[in-house]
Amino acid sequence: EPEVTQTPSHQVTQMGQEVILRCVPISNHLYFYWYRQILGQKVEFLVSFYNNEISEKSEIFDDQFSVERPDGSNFTLKIRSTKLEDSAMYFCARSEAFFGQGTRLTVV
Amino acid sequence: GQQVMQIPQYQHVQEGEDFTTYCNSSTTLSNIQWYKQRPGGHPVFLIQLVKSGEVKKQKRLTFQFGEAKKNSSLHITATQTTDVGTYFCAVRRSNDYKLSFGAGTTVTVRA
């Protein structure tokens, strides 16, 4: 089965800026997940997305986060106003067995 | 959400030796997954255990699910340098698909 592809692999952004992280290309899959891993810590669930709607979200996934599937293939995670503590690896997964390579987000 | 405790947090192993990492829950689990994450990498799915007392083997890796389905273990025999990384257990509630990860056991190997 095709692997999940994430872009960019590394994103550096200034505090307060918006960032968009992408899973590409994906088709014919209904269930997706975003996870976050702060350096040296465990993987934490952010949000699950089913059939173009959020099905579940964690307490981490506050109002500054949003997810979209804008064109039926790309699956995006947007952080509206980044904070220093948002610095982490962000993983997209289409099931428990298939994690993307991740995007390392560094907020400066 | 469901929480799992993993021990030890760190495991420093002599090449060729065996070691075991454990995952424990206070509640009965419907299933458990194990992942390996190399330094700088992403979680890679290793296996899923579902049945009480289940034992599965992958070459030098042996995975076990406790009889009460509250604990699990990963045993690696004859450790190699390629075994370096962090091993996570993760659990999923029966009514949804999100994973709750343990804190992981980080393994280093001395040659």
Side-chain angles (χ1 to χ4, degrees):
Chain A
E1 294 186 76
E3 292 186 5
V4 174
T5 303
Q6 289 187 245
T7 61
S9 57
H10 192 186
Q11 175 88 48
V12 181
T13 188
Q14 288 198 326
M15 190 169 55
Q17 295 296 306
E18 175 183 284
V19 295
I20 298 176
L21 313 180
R22 292 183 171 85
C23 276
V24 291
I26 293 175
S27 60
N28 300 321
H29 298 297
L30 295 178
Y31 246 121
F32 302 96
Y33 310 84
W34 282 100
Y35 292 86
R36 179 184 80 174
Q37 186 179 32
I38 295 171
L39 184 63
Q41 299 187 22
K42 67 178 182 180
V43 179
E44 301 174 291
F45 169 77
L46 288 177
V47 65
S48 58
F49 195 75
Y50 174 72
N51 201 25
N52 297 325
E53 290 185 355
I54 291 175
S55 59
E56 190 171 4
K57 57 185 181 180
S58 72
E59 61 276 8
I60 303 170
F61 195 87
D62 60 23
D63 291 344
Q64 70 163 346
F65 289 91
S66 62
V67 289
E68 288 183 352
R69 198 173 189 190
D71 56 7
S73 60
N74 293 349
F75 178 46
T76 64
L77 173 69
K78 182 189 292 186
I79 309 175
R80 267 181 270 282
S81 178
T82 51
K83 303 188 287 273
L84 295 177
E85 52 265 38
D86 293 327
S87 296
M89 285 292 293
Y90 288 82
F91 295 106
C92 170
R94 65 169 180 84
S95 73
E96 58 204 8
F98 296 102
F99 277 70
Q101 305 283 337
T103 293
R104 179 173 297 283
L105 176 65
T106 303
V107 183
V108 297
Chain B
Q2 239 164 9
Q3 298 293 325
V4 286
M5 301 295 293
Q6 258 190 278
I7 55 171
Q9 185 177 2
Y10 299 100
Q11 184 84 54
H12 191 51
V13 188
Q14 176 72 44
E15 189 174 19
E17 290 184 342
D18 303 351
F19 75 89
T20 304
T21 175
Y22 301 90
C23 199
N24 300 307
S25 170
S26 59
T27 59
T28 301
L29 304 170
S30 59
N31 59 80
I32 193 163
Q33 291 85 33
W34 285 92
Y35 293 79
K36 177 182 179 181
Q37 185 178 30
R38 293 182 184 276
H42 62 286
V44 175
F45 176 79
L46 294 177
I47 210 154
Q48 176 174 272
L49 304 173
V50 179
K51 298 178 183 176
S52 169
E54 188 171 15
V55 178
K56 289 187 177 180
K57 292 189 176 184
Q58 290 179 352
K59 298 182 180 179
R60 295 179 295 103
L61 277 61
T62 301
F63 303 85
Q64 188 165 3
F65 204 6
E67 293 290 340
K69 299 181 73 173
K70 289 185 176 182
N71 54 70
S72 180
S73 64
L74 161 57
H75 181 77
I76 300 182
T77 58
T79 305
Q80 299 176 0
T81 55
T82 54
D83 295 325
V84 165
T86 301
Y87 294 84
F88 293 98
C89 62
V91 299
R92 177 167 57 85
R93 293 190 306 223
S94 58
N95 59 344
D96 65 34
Y97 294 94
K98 74 173 189 185
L99 292 170
S100 295
F101 282 78
T105 294
T106 298
V107 177
T108 53
V109 179
R110 59 181 181 272

